[in-house]
């Protein structure tokens, strides 16, 4: 069992491990040797390894991996090569792939991104950036879930999405859709 928390004083993530749910040991207490990582809120297991997504407002987000619980390696660094990708907002295994979501805050890459990998190392965009809508600032989906052979992504802050990027709604695709083939669903229930 793994648990990630953020130190409120030094703003770095700590990662704890427990084999029984009662006794915990610290396995990361230094932001994964990168002080710019101020949170590591997303953890998931994929192909016998544990993956962690970070938030770093300086130098961009990272995805780190350990396959033995001891040694961590950065699989994604500097926000998928663009340090405007500040945070990994989701990590999800769906089908035989690992998905991650981010948003690029400014610049040419501004928009909401969903990334996918079949091996945890090589990543490709799984959507058209910003779902085809780009703005000055983008909010990454804070909800990513698989259901009935389809992947759903919902924006975390409707006001921010509506005002800044014009993206309101829930987006859906299936596991075998070509890159960028997302449907916008109605937001009225």
């Amino acid at each position: 069992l793994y648990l990630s928390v953020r130190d409120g004083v030094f703003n770095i993530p700590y990662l704890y491990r427990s084999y029984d749910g009662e006794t915990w040991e610290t396995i990361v207490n230094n932001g994964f040797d990168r002080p710019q990582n101020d949170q590591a809120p997303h953890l998931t297991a994929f192909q016998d390894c544990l993956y962690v997504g970070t938030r770093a407002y300086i130098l961009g987000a990272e995805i780190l991996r350990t396959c033995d619980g001891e040694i961590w390696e950065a699989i994604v660094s500097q926000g998928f090569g663009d340090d405007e990708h500040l945070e990994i907002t989701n990590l999800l295994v769906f089908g035989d792939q690992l998905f991650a979501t981010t948003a690029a805050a400014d610049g040419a890459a501004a928009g909401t991104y969903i990334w996918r990998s079949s091996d945890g190392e090589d990543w490709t965009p799984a959507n058209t950036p910003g779902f085809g809508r780009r703005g000055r600032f983008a909010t990454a989906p804070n909800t990513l879930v698989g259901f009935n052979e389809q992947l759903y992504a919902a924006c975390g802050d409707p006001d921010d999405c509506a005002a800044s990027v014009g993206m309101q709604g829930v987006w859906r695709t299936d596991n075998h859709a070509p890159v960028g083939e997302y449907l916008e669903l109605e937001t009225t229930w």
Side-chain angles (χ1 to χ4, degrees):
L1 179 62
Y2 289 85
L3 175 69
S4 175
V5 298
R6 178 181 179 207
D7 177 305
V9 176
F10 298 107
N11 293 327
I12 56 172
Y14 281 67
L15 199 61
Y16 297 93
R17 175 176 52 206
S18 176
Y19 293 101
D20 61 11
E22 294 186 25
T23 305
W24 295 87
E25 66 178 309
T26 305
I27 60 170
V28 172
N29 65 1
N30 59 2
F32 299 93
D33 293 324
R34 187 175 182 234
Q36 293 84 3
N37 288 330
D38 70 349
Q39 289 187 29
H42 303 285
L43 301 102
T44 196
F46 179 66
Q47 296 180 353
D48 298 322
C49 297
L50 180 66
Y51 289 77
V52 175
T54 71
R55 181 180 83 175
Y57 287 125
I58 300 171
L59 299 181
E62 289 187 311
I63 296 177
L64 298 111
R65 169 177 77 184
T66 183
C67 297
D68 64 5
E70 304 294 327
I71 299 170
W72 291 88
E73 61 179 322
I75 301 301
V76 170
S77 60
Q78 294 185 325
F80 290 95
D82 182 344
D83 62 7
E84 290 294 328
H85 291 269
L86 307 176
E87 179 178 3
I88 305 300
T89 58
N90 290 282
L91 284 174
L92 173 75
V93 176
F94 181 63
D96 60 353
Q97 298 184 62
L98 178 59
F99 287 82
T101 59
T102 65
D106 272 318
T112 300
Y113 286 76
I114 299 176
W115 302 85
R116 66 177 163 199
S117 175
S118 60
D119 62 7
E121 292 184 31
D122 298 313
W123 293 82
T124 57
N127 72 316
T128 303
F131 296 103
R133 301 175 183 178
R134 291 186 172 186
R136 181 190 60 76
F137 184 80
T139 299
N142 76 343
T143 302
L144 188 67
V145 64
F147 178 73
N148 269 351
E149 300 293 318
Q150 295 178 321
L151 187 62
Y152 291 80
C155 191
D157 183 348
D159 293 332
D160 201 19
C161 290
S164 301
V165 228
M167 185 180 89
Q168 300 180 58
V170 176
W171 298 80
R172 174 185 73 195
T173 189
D174 68 0
N175 193 21
H176 306 290
V179 172
E181 295 296 318
Y182 279 78
L183 277 165
E184 184 174 11
L185 303 179
E186 292 296 321
T187 57
T188 306
W189 297 96

